[in-house]
mmCIF file with all atom_site columns, all heavy atoms in Angstrom:
data_model
loop_
_atom_site.group_PDB
_atom_site.id
_atom_site.type_symbol
_atom_site.label_atom_id
_atom_site.label_alt_id
_atom_site.label_comp_id
_atom_site.label_asym_id
_atom_site.label_entity_id
_atom_site.label_seq_id
_atom_site.pdbx_PDB_ins_code
_atom_site.Cartn_x
_atom_site.Cartn_y
_atom_site.Cartn_z
_atom_site.occupancy
_atom_site.B_iso_or_equiv
_atom_site.pdbx_formal_charge
_atom_site.auth_seq_id
_atom_site.auth_comp_id
_atom_site.auth_asym_id
_atom_site.auth_atom_id
_atom_site.pdbx_PDB_model_num
ATOM 1   N N   . VAL A 1 91  ? 189.607 4.192  -41.972 1.00 0.00 ? 106 VAL A N   1
ATOM 2   C CA  . VAL A 1 91  ? 190.925 4.125  -41.371 1.00 0.00 ? 106 VAL A CA  1
ATOM 3   C C   . VAL A 1 91  ? 191.898 4.761  -42.371 1.00 0.00 ? 106 VAL A C   1
ATOM 4   O O   . VAL A 1 91  ? 191.879 4.405  -43.551 1.00 0.00 ? 106 VAL A O   1
ATOM 5   C CB  . VAL A 1 91  ? 191.349 2.689  -41.062 1.00 0.00 ? 106 VAL A CB  1
ATOM 6   C CG1 . VAL A 1 91  ? 192.837 2.605  -40.691 1.00 0.00 ? 106 VAL A CG1 1
ATOM 7   C CG2 . VAL A 1 91  ? 190.499 2.095  -39.981 1.00 0.00 ? 106 VAL A CG2 1
ATOM 8   N N   . VAL A 1 92  ? 192.681 5.737  -41.946 1.00 0.00 ? 107 VAL A N   1
ATOM 9   C CA  . VAL A 1 92  ? 193.600 6.428  -42.822 1.00 0.00 ? 107 VAL A CA  1
ATOM 10  C C   . VAL A 1 92  ? 195.025 6.203  -42.302 1.00 0.00 ? 107 VAL A C   1
ATOM 11  O O   . VAL A 1 92  ? 195.407 6.655  -41.226 1.00 0.00 ? 107 VAL A O   1
ATOM 12  C CB  . VAL A 1 92  ? 193.298 7.949  -42.852 1.00 0.00 ? 107 VAL A CB  1
ATOM 13  C CG1 . VAL A 1 92  ? 194.176 8.615  -43.944 1.00 0.00 ? 107 VAL A CG1 1
ATOM 14  C CG2 . VAL A 1 92  ? 191.835 8.211  -43.121 1.00 0.00 ? 107 VAL A CG2 1
ATOM 15  N N   . ARG A 1 93  ? 195.820 5.493  -43.066 1.00 0.00 ? 108 ARG A N   1
ATOM 16  C CA  . ARG A 1 93  ? 197.184 5.188  -42.662 1.00 0.00 ? 108 ARG A CA  1
ATOM 17  C C   . ARG A 1 93  ? 198.102 6.303  -43.149 1.00 0.00 ? 108 ARG A C   1
ATOM 18  O O   . ARG A 1 93  ? 198.124 6.649  -44.347 1.00 0.00 ? 108 ARG A O   1
ATOM 19  C CB  . ARG A 1 93  ? 197.624 3.831  -43.222 1.00 0.00 ? 108 ARG A CB  1
ATOM 20  C CG  . ARG A 1 93  ? 196.722 2.717  -42.733 1.00 0.00 ? 108 ARG A CG  1
ATOM 21  C CD  . ARG A 1 93  ? 197.188 1.358  -43.106 1.00 0.00 ? 108 ARG A CD  1
ATOM 22  N NE  . ARG A 1 93  ? 196.252 0.318  -42.675 1.00 0.00 ? 108 ARG A NE  1
ATOM 23  C CZ  . ARG A 1 93  ? 196.214 -0.202 -41.441 1.00 0.00 ? 108 ARG A CZ  1
ATOM 24  N NH1 . ARG A 1 93  ? 197.095 0.214  -40.518 1.00 0.00 ? 108 ARG A NH1 1
ATOM 25  N NH2 . ARG A 1 93  ? 195.333 -1.098 -41.122 1.00 0.00 ? 108 ARG A NH2 1
ATOM 26  N N   . LEU A 1 94  ? 198.907 6.860  -42.234 1.00 0.00 ? 109 LEU A N   1
ATOM 27  C CA  . LEU A 1 94  ? 199.766 8.023  -42.513 1.00 0.00 ? 109 LEU A CA  1
ATOM 28  C C   . LEU A 1 94  ? 201.197 7.672  -42.228 1.00 0.00 ? 109 LEU A C   1
ATOM 29  O O   . LEU A 1 94  ? 201.553 7.467  -41.025 1.00 0.00 ? 109 LEU A O   1
ATOM 30  C CB  . LEU A 1 94  ? 199.300 9.222  -41.676 1.00 0.00 ? 109 LEU A CB  1
ATOM 31  C CG  . LEU A 1 94  ? 197.883 9.667  -41.868 1.00 0.00 ? 109 LEU A CG  1
ATOM 32  C CD1 . LEU A 1 94  ? 197.532 10.771 -40.865 1.00 0.00 ? 109 LEU A CD1 1
ATOM 33  C CD2 . LEU A 1 94  ? 197.607 10.137 -43.286 1.00 0.00 ? 109 LEU A CD2 1
ATOM 34  N N   . PRO A 1 95  ? 202.092 7.669  -43.206 1.00 0.00 ? 110 PRO A N   1
ATOM 35  C CA  . PRO A 1 95  ? 203.519 7.478  -42.940 1.00 0.00 ? 110 PRO A CA  1
ATOM 36  C C   . PRO A 1 95  ? 204.102 8.602  -42.096 1.00 0.00 ? 110 PRO A C   1
ATOM 37  O O   . PRO A 1 95  ? 205.002 8.403  -41.280 1.00 0.00 ? 110 PRO A O   1
ATOM 38  C CB  . PRO A 1 95  ? 204.137 7.419  -44.318 1.00 0.00 ? 110 PRO A CB  1
ATOM 39  C CG  . PRO A 1 95  ? 203.040 7.099  -45.255 1.00 0.00 ? 110 PRO A CG  1
ATOM 40  C CD  . PRO A 1 95  ? 201.817 7.701  -44.666 1.00 0.00 ? 110 PRO A CD  1
ATOM 41  N N   . ASN A 1 96  ? 203.564 9.820  -42.310 1.00 0.00 ? 111 ASN A N   1
ATOM 42  C CA  . ASN A 1 96  ? 204.068 10.991 -41.596 1.00 0.00 ? 111 ASN A CA  1
ATOM 43  C C   . ASN A 1 96  ? 202.872 11.855 -41.148 1.00 0.00 ? 111 ASN A C   1
ATOM 44  O O   . ASN A 1 96  ? 201.869 11.959 -41.861 1.00 0.00 ? 111 ASN A O   1
ATOM 45  C CB  . ASN A 1 96  ? 204.998 11.818 -42.456 1.00 0.00 ? 111 ASN A CB  1
ATOM 46  C CG  . ASN A 1 96  ? 206.231 11.051 -42.874 1.00 0.00 ? 111 ASN A CG  1
ATOM 47  O OD1 . ASN A 1 96  ? 207.087 10.692 -42.072 1.00 0.00 ? 111 ASN A OD1 1
ATOM 48  N ND2 . ASN A 1 96  ? 206.343 10.790 -44.181 1.00 0.00 ? 111 ASN A ND2 1
ATOM 49  N N   . LEU A 1 97  ? 203.033 12.466 -39.993 1.00 0.00 ? 112 LEU A N   1
ATOM 50  C CA  . LEU A 1 97  ? 202.035 13.392 -39.490 1.00 0.00 ? 112 LEU A CA  1
ATOM 51  C C   . LEU A 1 97  ? 202.478 14.825 -39.821 1.00 0.00 ? 112 LEU A C   1
ATOM 52  O O   . LEU A 1 97  ? 203.551 15.243 -39.421 1.00 0.00 ? 112 LEU A O   1
ATOM 53  C CB  . LEU A 1 97  ? 201.831 13.243 -37.983 1.00 0.00 ? 112 LEU A CB  1
ATOM 54  C CG  . LEU A 1 97  ? 201.436 11.810 -37.499 1.00 0.00 ? 112 LEU A CG  1
ATOM 55  C CD1 . LEU A 1 97  ? 201.211 11.826 -35.992 1.00 0.00 ? 112 LEU A CD1 1
ATOM 56  C CD2 . LEU A 1 97  ? 200.195 11.319 -38.228 1.00 0.00 ? 112 LEU A CD2 1
ATOM 57  N N   . ARG A 1 98  ? 201.629 15.578 -40.538 1.00 0.00 ? 113 ARG A N   1
ATOM 58  C CA  . ARG A 1 98  ? 201.998 16.910 -40.940 1.00 0.00 ? 113 ARG A CA  1
ATOM 59  C C   . ARG A 1 98  ? 201.586 17.926 -39.877 1.00 0.00 ? 113 ARG A C   1
ATOM 60  O O   . ARG A 1 98  ? 200.423 17.915 -39.420 1.00 0.00 ? 113 ARG A O   1
ATOM 61  C CB  . ARG A 1 98  ? 201.271 17.254 -42.262 1.00 0.00 ? 113 ARG A CB  1
ATOM 62  C CG  . ARG A 1 98  ? 201.523 16.267 -43.379 1.00 0.00 ? 113 ARG A CG  1
ATOM 63  C CD  . ARG A 1 98  ? 203.008 16.172 -43.761 1.00 0.00 ? 113 ARG A CD  1
ATOM 64  N NE  . ARG A 1 98  ? 203.273 15.157 -44.731 1.00 0.00 ? 113 ARG A NE  1
ATOM 65  C CZ  . ARG A 1 98  ? 203.199 15.325 -46.053 1.00 0.00 ? 113 ARG A CZ  1
ATOM 66  N NH1 . ARG A 1 98  ? 202.847 16.530 -46.526 1.00 0.00 ? 113 ARG A NH1 1
ATOM 67  N NH2 . ARG A 1 98  ? 203.497 14.353 -46.878 1.00 0.00 ? 113 ARG A NH2 1
ATOM 68  N N   . PRO A 1 99  ? 202.492 18.797 -39.440 1.00 0.00 ? 114 PRO A N   1
ATOM 69  C CA  . PRO A 1 99  ? 202.182 19.767 -38.396 1.00 0.00 ? 114 PRO A CA  1
ATOM 70  C C   . PRO A 1 99  ? 201.010 20.705 -38.729 1.00 0.00 ? 114 PRO A C   1
ATOM 71  O O   . PRO A 1 99  ? 200.263 21.114 -37.864 1.00 0.00 ? 114 PRO A O   1
ATOM 72  C CB  . PRO A 1 99  ? 203.494 20.555 -38.243 1.00 0.00 ? 114 PRO A CB  1
ATOM 73  C CG  . PRO A 1 99  ? 204.544 19.678 -38.779 1.00 0.00 ? 114 PRO A CG  1
ATOM 74  C CD  . PRO A 1 99  ? 203.921 18.878 -39.877 1.00 0.00 ? 114 PRO A CD  1
ATOM 75  N N   . ALA A 1 100 ? 200.895 21.021 -40.024 1.00 0.00 ? 115 ALA A N   1
ATOM 76  C CA  . ALA A 1 100 ? 199.857 22.001 -40.398 1.00 0.00 ? 115 ALA A CA  1
ATOM 77  C C   . ALA A 1 100 ? 198.460 21.389 -40.535 1.00 0.00 ? 115 ALA A C   1
ATOM 78  O O   . ALA A 1 100 ? 197.472 22.054 -40.230 1.00 0.00 ? 115 ALA A O   1
ATOM 79  C CB  . ALA A 1 100 ? 200.248 22.678 -41.711 1.00 0.00 ? 115 ALA A CB  1
ATOM 80  N N   . THR A 1 101 ? 198.379 20.122 -41.026 1.00 0.00 ? 116 THR A N   1
ATOM 81  C CA  . THR A 1 101 ? 197.101 19.523 -41.317 1.00 0.00 ? 116 THR A CA  1
ATOM 82  C C   . THR A 1 101 ? 196.922 18.108 -40.814 1.00 0.00 ? 116 THR A C   1
ATOM 83  O O   . THR A 1 101 ? 195.872 17.518 -41.030 1.00 0.00 ? 116 THR A O   1
ATOM 84  C CB  . THR A 1 101 ? 196.825 19.541 -42.805 1.00 0.00 ? 116 THR A CB  1
ATOM 85  O OG1 . THR A 1 101 ? 197.924 18.894 -43.466 1.00 0.00 ? 116 THR A OG1 1
ATOM 86  C CG2 . THR A 1 101 ? 196.712 20.950 -43.355 1.00 0.00 ? 116 THR A CG2 1
ATOM 87  N N   . LEU A 1 102 ? 197.950 17.543 -40.227 1.00 0.00 ? 117 LEU A N   1
ATOM 88  C CA  . LEU A 1 102 ? 197.994 16.141 -39.783 1.00 0.00 ? 117 LEU A CA  1
ATOM 89  C C   . LEU A 1 102 ? 198.103 15.214 -41.013 1.00 0.00 ? 117 LEU A C   1
ATOM 90  O O   . LEU A 1 102 ? 198.990 14.359 -41.063 1.00 0.00 ? 117 LEU A O   1
ATOM 91  C CB  . LEU A 1 102 ? 196.780 15.752 -38.946 1.00 0.00 ? 117 LEU A CB  1
ATOM 92  C CG  . LEU A 1 102 ? 196.797 14.312 -38.375 1.00 0.00 ? 117 LEU A CG  1
ATOM 93  C CD1 . LEU A 1 102 ? 197.873 14.208 -37.288 1.00 0.00 ? 117 LEU A CD1 1
ATOM 94  C CD2 . LEU A 1 102 ? 195.425 13.906 -37.826 1.00 0.00 ? 117 LEU A CD2 1
ATOM 95  N N   . PHE A 1 103 ? 197.187 15.374 -41.981 1.00 0.00 ? 118 PHE A N   1
ATOM 96  C CA  . PHE A 1 103 ? 197.217 14.537 -43.193 1.00 0.00 ? 118 PHE A CA  1
ATOM 97  C C   . PHE A 1 103 ? 198.084 15.187 -44.274 1.00 0.00 ? 118 PHE A C   1
ATOM 98  O O   . PHE A 1 103 ? 198.304 16.383 -44.261 1.00 0.00 ? 118 PHE A O   1
ATOM 99  C CB  . PHE A 1 103 ? 195.788 14.384 -43.753 1.00 0.00 ? 118 PHE A CB  1
ATOM 100 C CG  . PHE A 1 103 ? 194.808 13.849 -42.769 1.00 0.00 ? 118 PHE A CG  1
ATOM 101 C CD1 . PHE A 1 103 ? 194.017 14.713 -42.028 1.00 0.00 ? 118 PHE A CD1 1
ATOM 102 C CD2 . PHE A 1 103 ? 194.631 12.490 -42.575 1.00 0.00 ? 118 PHE A CD2 1
ATOM 103 C CE1 . PHE A 1 103 ? 193.114 14.266 -41.082 1.00 0.00 ? 118 PHE A CE1 1
ATOM 104 C CE2 . PHE A 1 103 ? 193.713 11.988 -41.670 1.00 0.00 ? 118 PHE A CE2 1
ATOM 105 C CZ  . PHE A 1 103 ? 192.968 12.885 -40.917 1.00 0.00 ? 118 PHE A CZ  1
ATOM 106 N N   . GLY A 1 104 ? 198.564 14.358 -45.205 1.00 0.00 ? 119 GLY A N   1
ATOM 107 C CA  . GLY A 1 104 ? 199.308 14.885 -46.334 1.00 0.00 ? 119 GLY A CA  1
ATOM 108 C C   . GLY A 1 104 ? 198.369 15.672 -47.265 1.00 0.00 ? 119 GLY A C   1
ATOM 109 O O   . GLY A 1 104 ? 197.153 15.545 -47.221 1.00 0.00 ? 119 GLY A O   1
ATOM 110 N N   . THR A 1 105 ? 199.006 16.452 -48.172 1.00 0.00 ? 120 THR A N   1
ATOM 111 C CA  . THR A 1 105 ? 198.223 17.307 -49.078 1.00 0.00 ? 120 THR A CA  1
ATOM 112 C C   . THR A 1 105 ? 197.257 16.502 -49.944 1.00 0.00 ? 120 THR A C   1
ATOM 113 O O   . THR A 1 105 ? 196.069 16.844 -50.077 1.00 0.00 ? 120 THR A O   1
ATOM 114 C CB  . THR A 1 105 ? 199.172 18.104 -49.982 1.00 0.00 ? 120 THR A CB  1
ATOM 115 O OG1 . THR A 1 105 ? 200.070 18.889 -49.181 1.00 0.00 ? 120 THR A OG1 1
ATOM 116 C CG2 . THR A 1 105 ? 198.393 19.029 -50.915 1.00 0.00 ? 120 THR A CG2 1
ATOM 117 N N   . GLY A 1 106 ? 197.721 15.402 -50.507 1.00 0.00 ? 121 GLY A N   1
ATOM 118 C CA  . GLY A 1 106 ? 196.864 14.565 -51.320 1.00 0.00 ? 121 GLY A CA  1
ATOM 119 C C   . GLY A 1 106 ? 195.705 13.981 -50.552 1.00 0.00 ? 121 GLY A C   1
ATOM 120 O O   . GLY A 1 106 ? 194.560 13.897 -51.052 1.00 0.00 ? 121 GLY A O   1
ATOM 121 N N   . LYS A 1 107 ? 195.961 13.579 -49.330 1.00 0.00 ? 122 LYS A N   1
ATOM 122 C CA  . LYS A 1 107 ? 194.918 13.004 -48.514 1.00 0.00 ? 122 LYS A CA  1
ATOM 123 C C   . LYS A 1 107 ? 193.900 14.029 -48.112 1.00 0.00 ? 122 LYS A C   1
ATOM 124 O O   . LYS A 1 107 ? 192.677 13.766 -48.059 1.00 0.00 ? 122 LYS A O   1
ATOM 125 C CB  . LYS A 1 107 ? 195.520 12.336 -47.283 1.00 0.00 ? 122 LYS A CB  1
ATOM 126 C CG  . LYS A 1 107 ? 194.607 11.337 -46.612 1.00 0.00 ? 122 LYS A CG  1
ATOM 127 C CD  . LYS A 1 107 ? 194.152 10.247 -47.555 1.00 0.00 ? 122 LYS A CD  1
ATOM 128 C CE  . LYS A 1 107 ? 195.333 9.393  -48.048 1.00 0.00 ? 122 LYS A CE  1
ATOM 129 N NZ  . LYS A 1 107 ? 194.897 8.399  -49.026 1.00 0.00 ? 122 LYS A NZ  1
ATOM 130 N N   . VAL A 1 108 ? 194.345 15.256 -47.784 1.00 0.00 ? 123 VAL A N   1
ATOM 131 C CA  . VAL A 1 108 ? 193.425 16.349 -47.480 1.00 0.00 ? 123 VAL A CA  1
ATOM 132 C C   . VAL A 1 108 ? 192.489 16.584 -48.638 1.00 0.00 ? 123 VAL A C   1
ATOM 133 O O   . VAL A 1 108 ? 191.262 16.756 -48.471 1.00 0.00 ? 123 VAL A O   1
ATOM 134 C CB  . VAL A 1 108 ? 194.178 17.646 -47.095 1.00 0.00 ? 123 VAL A CB  1
ATOM 135 C CG1 . VAL A 1 108 ? 193.239 18.815 -47.007 1.00 0.00 ? 123 VAL A CG1 1
ATOM 136 C CG2 . VAL A 1 108 ? 194.920 17.435 -45.800 1.00 0.00 ? 123 VAL A CG2 1
ATOM 137 N N   . GLU A 1 109 ? 193.033 16.599 -49.858 1.00 0.00 ? 124 GLU A N   1
ATOM 138 C CA  . GLU A 1 109 ? 192.202 16.850 -51.053 1.00 0.00 ? 124 GLU A CA  1
ATOM 139 C C   . GLU A 1 109 ? 191.221 15.709 -51.252 1.00 0.00 ? 124 GLU A C   1
ATOM 140 O O   . GLU A 1 109 ? 190.068 15.928 -51.618 1.00 0.00 ? 124 GLU A O   1
ATOM 141 C CB  . GLU A 1 109 ? 193.091 17.017 -52.285 1.00 0.00 ? 124 GLU A CB  1
ATOM 142 C CG  . GLU A 1 109 ? 193.943 18.303 -52.229 1.00 0.00 ? 124 GLU A CG  1
ATOM 143 C CD  . GLU A 1 109 ? 194.909 18.409 -53.400 1.00 0.00 ? 124 GLU A CD  1
ATOM 144 O OE1 . GLU A 1 109 ? 194.986 17.410 -54.175 1.00 0.00 ? 124 GLU A OE1 1
ATOM 145 O OE2 . GLU A 1 109 ? 195.584 19.447 -53.537 1.00 0.00 ? 124 GLU A OE2 1
ATOM 146 N N   . GLU A 1 110 ? 191.710 14.471 -51.080 1.00 0.00 ? 125 GLU A N   1
ATOM 147 C CA  . GLU A 1 110 ? 190.824 13.291 -51.263 1.00 0.00 ? 125 GLU A CA  1
ATOM 148 C C   . GLU A 1 110 ? 189.674 13.289 -50.305 1.00 0.00 ? 125 GLU A C   1
ATOM 149 O O   . GLU A 1 110 ? 188.506 13.047 -50.664 1.00 0.00 ? 125 GLU A O   1
ATOM 150 C CB  . GLU A 1 110 ? 191.631 12.018 -51.157 1.00 0.00 ? 125 GLU A CB  1
ATOM 151 C CG  . GLU A 1 110 ? 190.855 10.781 -51.512 1.00 0.00 ? 125 GLU A CG  1
ATOM 152 C CD  . GLU A 1 110 ? 191.771 9.524  -51.487 1.00 0.00 ? 125 GLU A CD  1
ATOM 153 O OE1 . GLU A 1 110 ? 192.970 9.690  -51.269 1.00 0.00 ? 125 GLU A OE1 1
ATOM 154 O OE2 . GLU A 1 110 ? 191.221 8.429  -51.713 1.00 0.00 ? 125 GLU A OE2 1
ATOM 155 N N   . ILE A 1 111 ? 189.975 13.572 -49.030 1.00 0.00 ? 126 ILE A N   1
ATOM 156 C CA  . ILE A 1 111 ? 188.911 13.623 -48.029 1.00 0.00 ? 126 ILE A CA  1
ATOM 157 C C   . ILE A 1 111 ? 187.977 14.792 -48.322 1.00 0.00 ? 126 ILE A C   1
ATOM 158 O O   . ILE A 1 111 ? 186.763 14.687 -48.151 1.00 0.00 ? 126 ILE A O   1
ATOM 159 C CB  . ILE A 1 111 ? 189.534 13.768 -46.614 1.00 0.00 ? 126 ILE A CB  1
ATOM 160 C CG1 . ILE A 1 111 ? 190.339 12.530 -46.258 1.00 0.00 ? 126 ILE A CG1 1
ATOM 161 C CG2 . ILE A 1 111 ? 188.419 13.963 -45.572 1.00 0.00 ? 126 ILE A CG2 1
ATOM 162 C CD1 . ILE A 1 111 ? 191.154 12.668 -44.993 1.00 0.00 ? 126 ILE A CD1 1
#
Side-chain angles (χ1 to χ4, degrees):
V106 170
V107 188
R108 301 187 183 277
L109 302 174
N111 298 293
L112 303 183
R113 305 298 174 88
T116 56
L117 185 70
F118 305 93
T120 303
K122 198 58 62 184
V123 170
E124 293 175 354
E125 187 174 357
I126 296 170

